Amino acid sequence: MRWTGRKLLFAALIGLLYIGGCSSKNSTTEQQESSQEQPKEIATSYPAPFTGEQLTEKRENRPIVATINNHPLARPQSGIADADLIYEFMAEGEVTRYLALFHSEIPDQIGPIRSARDYFVRLAEGMDAFYIAHGYSPEAKKLLDSGTVDYVNGMQYDGTLFERSPDRKAPHNSYISKEHITQAFETTGASEKISKMPVFSFLNPEDSDKIGDMASSVIVSYGKNPNFSSTYHFDEETNRYYRSVNGIDTVDKLNERRVELANVIVMEMDHQTVDQEGRQAIDLHSGGKAVLFHEGIAKTIEWENIDGFLTPLEQGLPVKLTAGKSWIHIVPSISGPSTSVTYTP
C-alpha cells in the first residue's frame, strides 16, 4: 500500500496524541503516588510538667527555684508572672517569703533575691532544682555548705552574678538576670538537665471541675498584718484568679503584667519557732490537710510529699488541677490564730 503525504501526516499526528495522552496519564499517576507517599505533618505539643500547659517544644532544662523577698519595700517583684509555681512561706514572725519555681519560662530578671531557709533548701533538694538565694539562716548555711543542693548565693557573688538596683535599699535590691543564671550553672558546674518529674495531674482543656463550694473570692492571712494577707478574685471569662495584697494588685515589675493563677492551694504543715528572730522549722514530709481553689470553687483535699514534690491529692490520687500557674500557701493551720483561710461565693 502506498502512503501519500496526507496519510503520513495524519498518522504522525495520531502518534503524537497517543504519546501525549500516555505521558499525561503517567504524570498524574506519579503525582498521586507521590502525594500518597508523603506523610501528613501532625502538630506535636508537650505538656509542661509544672503547669500542664501545652508547649510547642519539649522542655528538658533543669528547674530553677529562687528565694524572693516579700517585704512591702521589695514590691512589686520582678519575674514572678513567669513562675510556674510560687510557694509562700513564713520566714520570721508574720513576714512571708516566696520560693518561686521557673521552668517553662526564665524571665530576664528575678528578684529581689533574699536569704535561704532550711526548708527552702530541702524543697529544692527534693525537686532537684538549682537554688538561688542571697544570704542564709544558720541552718540553711549548714545544708548549703554540705552540698545538699546545687546553688548560687549572693553572699559569694554580690556585684558579679547578683546586681544591686539603685532604686531600692538593701536588703531589698538584689537581683539576678537570665544571663547570670546561665553563668551560674557554668561557674558551679551544675547539670542543666531536668532529672526529676512531679506526678501532678491536670484537667483536659475541654473538661471543667465544678464540684465543690463556690469560691469567687479567697483570703489567705498570715496573722493580722494586712501586708501579708492575700486576696484572690476569680474571673469567669479567663478562668483565672487574680491576686492583691492590702488592696494593691500583684504585678510583675518587669512589664506590669498581673499574676494570673489557675490554682491557689493552701497546705497545712507543722511549724515550730526555733529562735528569737522568729525563724521557723517546717515539716515538709508528714502530709496533711489542704484546700484547692480553682474553676471558681473550693475543694478540701490533702497533700503528701511524693518523691520530694509537695503533691495535692484527692482520695489518695493526685488531684486534677487546672492547667496553668499555681500559688501555694504553706500555713501552720488552715483556720487558727496565726493563719486563716476564708472564701465567699
Side-chain angles (χ1 to χ4, degrees):
M1 182 174 59
R2 295 177 61 189
W3 290 83
T4 64
R6 287 185 177 181
K7 288 181 178 179
L8 287 169
L9 179 61
F10 180 75
L13 289 172
I14 291 297
L16 288 172
L17 288 172
Y18 177 78
I19 293 170
C22 290
S23 176
S24 175
K25 184 177 180 180
N26 290 339
S27 176
T28 302
T29 302
E30 289 174 0
Q31 289 177 1
Q32 290 176 345
E33 290 176 353
S34 176
S35 175
Q36 291 173 356
E37 289 173 0
Q38 292 179 356
K40 293 181 179 180
E41 291 187 5
I42 300 174
T44 303
S45 61
Y46 303 91
F50 297 98
T51 68
E53 295 179 312
Q54 298 299 315
L55 305 175
T56 57
E57 296 180 358
K58 189 175 183 179
R59 298 286 197 274
E60 296 183 338
N61 53 295
R62 190 177 186 181
I64 295 162
V65 291
T67 299
I68 297 182
N69 195 335
N70 188 37
H71 190 281
L73 295 177
R75 303 171 188 163
Q77 295 93 338
S78 297
I80 57 174
D82 287 323
D84 289 356
L85 307 173
I86 293 183
Y87 299 89
E88 184 169 354
F89 286 85
M90 295 176 68
E92 57 260 347
E94 295 180 352
V95 177
T96 66
R97 198 163 289 177
Y98 305 156
L99 187 71
L101 183 146
F102 301 91
H103 183 255
S104 301
E105 299 289 340
I106 308 299
D108 291 335
Q109 186 184 61
I110 300 173
I113 303 296
R114 202 63 171 90
S115 61
R117 293 291 183 268
D118 60 315
Y119 39 88
F120 295 157
V121 179
R122 289 299 187 191
L123 195 52
E125 177 191 19
M127 298 185 290
D128 192 35
F130 186 83
Y131 180 48
I132 299 170
H134 193 144
Y136 23 66
S137 67
E139 294 80 6
K141 188 175 188 303
K142 292 176 183 177
L143 292 174
L144 295 174
D145 289 346
S146 68
T148 302
V149 292
D150 292 328
Y151 76 97
V152 66
N153 196 288
M155 295 295 284
Q156 289 77 45
Y157 296 98
D158 197 353
T160 53
L161 296 180
F162 292 75
E163 298 176 317
R164 297 284 184 172
S165 171
D167 62 351
R168 289 178 176 174
K169 295 182 179 180
H172 313 301
N173 64 347
S174 177
Y175 294 83
I176 189 167
S177 67
K178 183 177 182 179
E179 179 184 358
H180 285 163
I181 291 172
T182 300
Q183 291 182 20
F185 274 98
E186 296 173 354
T187 300
T188 59
S191 171
E192 298 182 36
K193 294 288 186 180
I194 189 169
S195 66
K196 295 182 69 176
M197 302 288 281
V199 292
F200 299 156
S201 180
F202 297 93
L203 293 166
N204 294 321
E206 64 274 10
D207 295 337
S208 179
D209 180 8
K210 295 296 182 183
I211 301 175
D213 298 331
M214 297 300 296
S216 59
S217 180
V218 181
I219 300 174
V220 182
S221 299
Y222 291 84
K224 297 180 180 180
N225 189 335
N227 284 311
F228 302 97
S229 180
S230 303
T231 299
Y232 299 89
H233 291 291
F234 181 69
D235 186 305
E236 289 188 7
E237 291 187 4
T238 61
N239 199 32
R240 292 292 184 263
Y241 279 96
Y242 294 90
R243 182 177 183 270
S244 62
V245 176
N246 205 13
I248 301 173
D249 293 339
T250 301
V251 300
D252 193 317
K253 189 175 186 293
L254 292 179
N255 46 32
E256 298 185 354
R257 179 158 52 102
R258 291 194 71 181
V259 173
E260 297 185 354
L261 301 163
N263 310 282
V264 178
I265 306 170
V266 184
M267 296 181 175
E268 185 178 276
M269 299 183 187
D270 183 60
H271 287 55
Q272 299 292 331
T273 303
V274 296
D275 59 23
Q276 294 181 348
E277 301 294 330
R279 295 191 182 101
Q280 301 292 307
I282 301 176
D283 182 357
L284 299 174
H285 298 283
S286 297
K289 299 177 182 178
V291 182
L292 165 65
F293 299 96
H294 74 158
E295 308 278 321
I297 61 104
K299 179 178 291 190
T300 300
I301 58 171
E302 308 86 36
W303 72 271
E304 286 185 12
N305 188 318
I306 299 179
D307 194 25
F309 295 92
L310 304 181
T311 307
L313 303 176
E314 185 176 26
Q315 297 179 354
L317 298 174
V319 67
K320 287 193 175 294
L321 304 171
T322 299
K325 304 176 189 305
S326 298
W327 197 290
I328 303 162
H329 287 275
I330 308 302
V331 301
S333 61
I334 290 175
S335 180
S338 56
T339 51
S340 65
V341 181
T342 58
Y343 57 91
T344 56

PDB file of all heavy atoms in Angstrom, residues 67-81:
ATOM      1  N   THR A  67      14.630  32.208  96.124  1.00  0.00           N
ATOM      2  CA  THR A  67      14.005  32.872  97.263  1.00  0.00           C
ATOM      3  C   THR A  67      13.794  34.332  96.899  1.00  0.00           C
ATOM      4  O   THR A  67      14.755  35.053  96.600  1.00  0.00           O
ATOM      5  CB  THR A  67      14.879  32.767  98.516  1.00  0.00           C
ATOM      6  OG1 THR A  67      15.052  31.388  98.866  1.00  0.00           O
ATOM      7  CG2 THR A  67      14.235  33.489  99.682  1.00  0.00           C
ATOM      8  N   ILE A  68      12.543  34.767  96.940  1.00  0.00           N
ATOM      9  CA  ILE A  68      12.199  36.134  96.544  1.00  0.00           C
ATOM     10  C   ILE A  68      11.643  36.892  97.749  1.00  0.00           C
ATOM     11  O   ILE A  68      10.772  36.406  98.472  1.00  0.00           O
ATOM     12  CB  ILE A  68      11.192  36.133  95.379  1.00  0.00           C
ATOM     13  CG1 ILE A  68      11.832  35.489  94.140  1.00  0.00           C
ATOM     14  CG2 ILE A  68      10.720  37.547  95.057  1.00  0.00           C
ATOM     15  CD1 ILE A  68      10.952  35.478  92.923  1.00  0.00           C
ATOM     16  N   ASN A  69      12.162  38.068  97.941  1.00  0.00           N
ATOM     17  CA  ASN A  69      11.788  38.964  99.028  1.00  0.00           C
ATOM     18  C   ASN A  69      10.312  39.352  98.909  1.00  0.00           C
ATOM     19  O   ASN A  69       9.843  39.689  97.824  1.00  0.00           O
ATOM     20  CB  ASN A  69      12.677  40.216  98.926  1.00  0.00           C
ATOM     21  CG  ASN A  69      12.660  41.068 100.168  1.00  0.00           C
ATOM     22  OD1 ASN A  69      11.710  41.043 100.936  1.00  0.00           O
ATOM     23  ND2 ASN A  69      13.708  41.856 100.352  1.00  0.00           N
ATOM     24  N   ASN A  70       9.586  39.317 100.046  1.00  0.00           N
ATOM     25  CA  ASN A  70       8.190  39.752 100.031  1.00  0.00           C
ATOM     26  C   ASN A  70       7.921  40.872 101.023  1.00  0.00           C
ATOM     27  O   ASN A  70       6.771  41.112 101.401  1.00  0.00           O
ATOM     28  CB  ASN A  70       7.247  38.571 100.312  1.00  0.00           C
ATOM     29  CG  ASN A  70       5.795  38.945 100.104  1.00  0.00           C
ATOM     30  OD1 ASN A  70       5.468  39.702  99.193  1.00  0.00           O
ATOM     31  ND2 ASN A  70       4.911  38.436 100.947  1.00  0.00           N
ATOM     32  N   HIS A  71       8.944  41.565 101.445  1.00  0.00           N
ATOM     33  CA  HIS A  71       8.732  42.751 102.273  1.00  0.00           C
ATOM     34  C   HIS A  71       8.016  43.808 101.425  1.00  0.00           C
ATOM     35  O   HIS A  71       8.252  43.889 100.213  1.00  0.00           O
ATOM     36  CB  HIS A  71      10.087  43.274 102.762  1.00  0.00           C
ATOM     37  CG  HIS A  71       9.979  44.333 103.806  1.00  0.00           C
ATOM     38  ND1 HIS A  71       9.686  45.647 103.517  1.00  0.00           N
ATOM     39  CD2 HIS A  71      10.139  44.270 105.163  1.00  0.00           C
ATOM     40  CE1 HIS A  71       9.662  46.359 104.624  1.00  0.00           C
ATOM     41  NE2 HIS A  71       9.934  45.533 105.653  1.00  0.00           N
ATOM     42  N   PRO A  72       7.143  44.613 102.014  1.00  0.00           N
ATOM     43  CA  PRO A  72       6.464  45.653 101.230  1.00  0.00           C
ATOM     44  C   PRO A  72       7.416  46.555 100.441  1.00  0.00           C
ATOM     45  O   PRO A  72       7.066  47.005  99.332  1.00  0.00           O
ATOM     46  CB  PRO A  72       5.695  46.447 102.290  1.00  0.00           C
ATOM     47  CG  PRO A  72       5.398  45.435 103.360  1.00  0.00           C
ATOM     48  CD  PRO A  72       6.606  44.538 103.400  1.00  0.00           C
ATOM     49  N   LEU A  73       8.634  46.784 100.967  1.00  0.00           N
ATOM     50  CA  LEU A  73       9.605  47.612 100.257  1.00  0.00           C
ATOM     51  C   LEU A  73      10.228  46.892  99.063  1.00  0.00           C
ATOM     52  O   LEU A  73      10.927  47.505  98.267  1.00  0.00           O
ATOM     53  CB  LEU A  73      10.705  48.077 101.213  1.00  0.00           C
ATOM     54  CG  LEU A  73      10.263  49.007 102.351  1.00  0.00           C
ATOM     55  CD1 LEU A  73      11.447  49.336 103.268  1.00  0.00           C
ATOM     56  CD2 LEU A  73       9.655  50.299 101.798  1.00  0.00           C
ATOM     57  N   ALA A  74       9.984  45.588  98.944  1.00  0.00           N
ATOM     58  CA  ALA A  74      10.521  44.810  97.820  1.00  0.00           C
ATOM     59  C   ALA A  74       9.504  44.648  96.697  1.00  0.00           C
ATOM     60  O   ALA A  74       9.804  44.043  95.672  1.00  0.00           O
ATOM     61  CB  ALA A  74      10.962  43.436  98.310  1.00  0.00           C
ATOM     62  N   ARG A  75       8.320  45.181  96.860  1.00  0.00           N
ATOM     63  CA  ARG A  75       7.263  45.024  95.869  1.00  0.00           C
ATOM     64  C   ARG A  75       7.204  46.228  94.932  1.00  0.00           C
ATOM     65  O   ARG A  75       7.515  47.340  95.359  1.00  0.00           O
ATOM     66  CB  ARG A  75       5.909  44.834  96.567  1.00  0.00           C
ATOM     67  CG  ARG A  75       5.861  43.655  97.526  1.00  0.00           C
ATOM     68  CD  ARG A  75       4.561  43.676  98.329  1.00  0.00           C
ATOM     69  NE  ARG A  75       4.582  42.657  99.388  1.00  0.00           N
ATOM     70  CZ  ARG A  75       3.747  42.665 100.428  1.00  0.00           C
ATOM     71  NH1 ARG A  75       2.840  43.628 100.539  1.00  0.00           N
ATOM     72  NH2 ARG A  75       3.828  41.716 101.352  1.00  0.00           N
ATOM     73  N   PRO A  76       6.764  46.032  93.695  1.00  0.00           N
ATOM     74  CA  PRO A  76       6.469  44.746  93.055  1.00  0.00           C
ATOM     75  C   PRO A  76       7.751  43.999  92.704  1.00  0.00           C
ATOM     76  O   PRO A  76       8.776  44.600  92.408  1.00  0.00           O
ATOM     77  CB  PRO A  76       5.699  45.147  91.794  1.00  0.00           C
ATOM     78  CG  PRO A  76       6.209  46.507  91.459  1.00  0.00           C
ATOM     79  CD  PRO A  76       6.491  47.167  92.777  1.00  0.00           C
ATOM     80  N   GLN A  77       7.682  42.696  92.728  1.00  0.00           N
ATOM     81  CA  GLN A  77       8.839  41.857  92.437  1.00  0.00           C
ATOM     82  C   GLN A  77       8.973  41.641  90.928  1.00  0.00           C
ATOM     83  O   GLN A  77       8.009  41.791  90.174  1.00  0.00           O
ATOM     84  CB  GLN A  77       8.705  40.508  93.149  1.00  0.00           C
ATOM     85  CG  GLN A  77       8.727  40.607  94.663  1.00  0.00           C
ATOM     86  CD  GLN A  77       7.351  40.710  95.300  1.00  0.00           C
ATOM     87  OE1 GLN A  77       6.388  41.110  94.648  1.00  0.00           O
ATOM     88  NE2 GLN A  77       7.242  40.357  96.575  1.00  0.00           N
ATOM     89  N   SER A  78      10.174  41.269  90.517  1.00  0.00           N
ATOM     90  CA  SER A  78      10.464  41.052  89.095  1.00  0.00           C
ATOM     91  C   SER A  78      10.494  39.567  88.763  1.00  0.00           C
ATOM     92  O   SER A  78      11.103  38.776  89.486  1.00  0.00           O
ATOM     93  CB  SER A  78      11.810  41.678  88.719  1.00  0.00           C
ATOM     94  OG  SER A  78      11.782  43.082  88.888  1.00  0.00           O
ATOM     95  N   GLY A  79       9.842  39.190  87.664  1.00  0.00           N
ATOM     96  CA  GLY A  79       9.892  37.827  87.159  1.00  0.00           C
ATOM     97  C   GLY A  79       8.791  36.919  87.655  1.00  0.00           C
ATOM     98  O   GLY A  79       8.632  35.802  87.144  1.00  0.00           O
ATOM     99  N   ILE A  80       7.982  37.355  88.635  1.00  0.00           N
ATOM    100  CA  ILE A  80       7.040  36.432  89.267  1.00  0.00           C
ATOM    101  C   ILE A  80       5.888  36.024  88.341  1.00  0.00           C
ATOM    102  O   ILE A  80       5.287  34.975  88.531  1.00  0.00           O
ATOM    103  CB  ILE A  80       6.482  36.991  90.591  1.00  0.00           C
ATOM    104  CG1 ILE A  80       5.794  38.349  90.374  1.00  0.00           C
ATOM    105  CG2 ILE A  80       7.591  37.104  91.628  1.00  0.00           C
ATOM    106  CD1 ILE A  80       5.099  38.871  91.626  1.00  0.00           C
ATOM    107  N   ALA A  81       5.575  36.831  87.336  1.00  0.00           N
ATOM    108  CA  ALA A  81       4.493  36.466  86.418  1.00  0.00           C
ATOM    109  C   ALA A  81       4.870  35.271  85.556  1.00  0.00           C
ATOM    110  O   ALA A  81       3.992  34.614  84.979  1.00  0.00           O
ATOM    111  CB  ALA A  81       4.115  37.649  85.529  1.00  0.00           C
TER     112      ALA A  81
END
